[in-house]
Amino acid sequence: MNGDTLDDGFVLWFPAPKSFTGEDVAELHLHGSRAALAAVIQALSRLGLRLAEPGEFTRRAFLNDKLDLLQAEAVADLVAAETDAQRRQALRQLDGELGGFYRGWSDRLTRLLAHLEAAIDFPDEELPPEIETRILDETMELVGEIEHHLTDGHRGEKLRAGIMVAIIGPPNAGKSSLLNRIARREAAITSPIAGTTRDVIEVAIDLQGYPVVVADTAGLRNSSDAIEQEGFRRAMRRAEEADIRLFVFDAAHPAEARGASAWPEPETLLVANKIDLIASPERDLPSIAFPISALTGEGVDALLSALGGRVGQSYCSEAPVLTRARHRQALEEAASSLRRSLSATLPELRAEDLRLALRSLGRITGAVDVEDLLDIIFRDFCIGK
Ligand code: GDP
């Protein structure tokens, strides 16, 4: 504070309320050296300023109503996005698309509740006689829409976490070699001795913009060796949990391909490996199999492009998708409250269930505001005018 120049930079001033956080914000652009930063931070802290905590800007933006909770979460997803599809999903959520979608349900539910409350509070007033049926019908419609949204195969959540692909097949078929090819690096130990991959090895890749985690599993073979048995169990679990499986077999032993029939067909691609060792792969192999050589790389691009197509088909979506377990839980609660309301014996109990459902929906966007109800009652019905 002795008038020394600390650095040469410039200051951007974002006046409230139009800044990201909604508050007055000054941004200092400095030369990035550690010494310059340390000097400026020290000078600022003498003025009583401190470093922001993780997520503090977004948190303030939420508290100042610049973002809803979904958008705040989308900021975190955007920062963490590693592939193009993840970036797009986060941006859609940040744009407020998902929030708008959920608020649409909240608005309809608020209206339903308002009508029901009106029927309870003003039984003598003239209300449409069919209101009871209408409330039931609309509740049923809402439950249907929410449940449909919930049965999306966890697409959005998977896109955030990575789509799981398991490489399965008999020992020595070349699974580890294929994983290495895919990873374009030595991620798995390959060995001519059967049963050497005793654990599950994972490689995260960006496949045509989609985050994909490819797991190499131990040969699907039961054995008396205790470690190998554990490897087998893990391989089975991983293969069962996977979104898509690559069943690899040795092209010289086409009968091995039969092992693939134990797995659900559309999510299991058949891969005939080691075609460099056989003379006429077209004649000897099942036509649906992708002929490849993990050794020479032949056919691997075609396989990956088919795999990318399959992933894209399953995960791209026009409608907004659920992206977090938190939202799923709140929606499940909302749906179950709505379902319960359908069998409620008294209008007061039904209203309570609708209120619970509304609160669950409100928790997703961070806006639980039941006061709105009164406005709607008086606007829609003009009771007591
Ligand atoms: P895994 O047990 O299924 O994981 O099989 P590995 O990847 O360990 O491969 C078993 C053996 O087959 C190793 O000796 C590999 O070098 C060999 N191998 C794997 N893929 C090919 C291939 O496409 N062509 C040839 N000629 N050999 C291969």
Side-chain angles (χ1 to χ4, degrees), residues 307-325:
L307 181 62
R310 187 69 61 102
V311 169
Q313 246 171 34
S314 327
Y315 295 95
C316 73
S317 153
E318 285 307 309
V321 290
L322 248 172
T323 52
R324 281 179 194 245

Side-chain angles (χ1 to χ4, degrees), residues 12-27 60-61 64 66:
L12 276 178
W13 178 243
F14 300 92
K18 288 202 167 172
S19 66
F20 175 72
T21 59
E23 302 164 2
D24 283 337
V25 175
E27 224 175 71
R60 287 184 183 216
N64 291 325
K66 301 292 283 187

Side-chain angles (χ1 to χ4, degrees), residues 170-177 190-192 197 273-274 276-277 293-295:
N172 253 347
K175 298 180 294 300
S176 307
S177 307
T190 58
S191 152
T197 312
N273 188 32
K274 308 193 189 183
D276 55 296
L277 295 180
S293 166
L295 190 71

Side-chain angles (χ1 to χ4, degrees), residues 116-235:
L116 184 58
E117 299 257 341
I120 295 168
D121 289 348
F122 307 98
D124 299 335
E125 294 284 336
E126 282 202 12
L127 287 164
E130 72 283 0
I131 195 157
E132 179 85 359
T133 350
R134 212 174 69 205
I135 288 173
L136 284 180
D137 286 352
E138 286 186 24
T139 305
M140 231 129 56
E141 211 173 287
L142 266 175
V143 175
E145 287 177 34
I146 295 176
E147 286 180 346
H148 177 72
H149 180 67
L150 280 167
T151 54
D152 65 345
H154 297 257
R155 273 187 319 219
E157 290 145 291
K158 279 178 189 164
L159 195 53
R160 284 185 64 238
I163 294 131
M164 299 299 301
V165 173
I167 304 183
I168 55 174
N172 253 347
K175 298 180 294 300
S176 307
S177 307
L178 176 59
L179 180 71
N180 285 345
R181 265 281 153 203
I182 293 175
R184 295 202 183 89
R185 62 185 167 94
E186 295 290 305
I189 308 152
T190 58
S191 152
I193 308 158
T196 45
T197 312
R198 287 183 167 161
D199 208 331
V200 177
I201 296 167
E202 288 183 345
V203 172
I205 58 165
D206 178 339
L207 186 63
Q208 296 166 26
Y210 292 94
V212 172
V213 179
V214 188
D216 174 25
T217 58
L220 287 178
R221 182 186 73 155
N222 230 331
S223 105
S224 53
D225 181 283
I227 303 175
E228 215 173 278
Q229 273 179 0
E230 177 54 26
F232 176 76
R233 263 194 299 277
R234 290 187 196 185

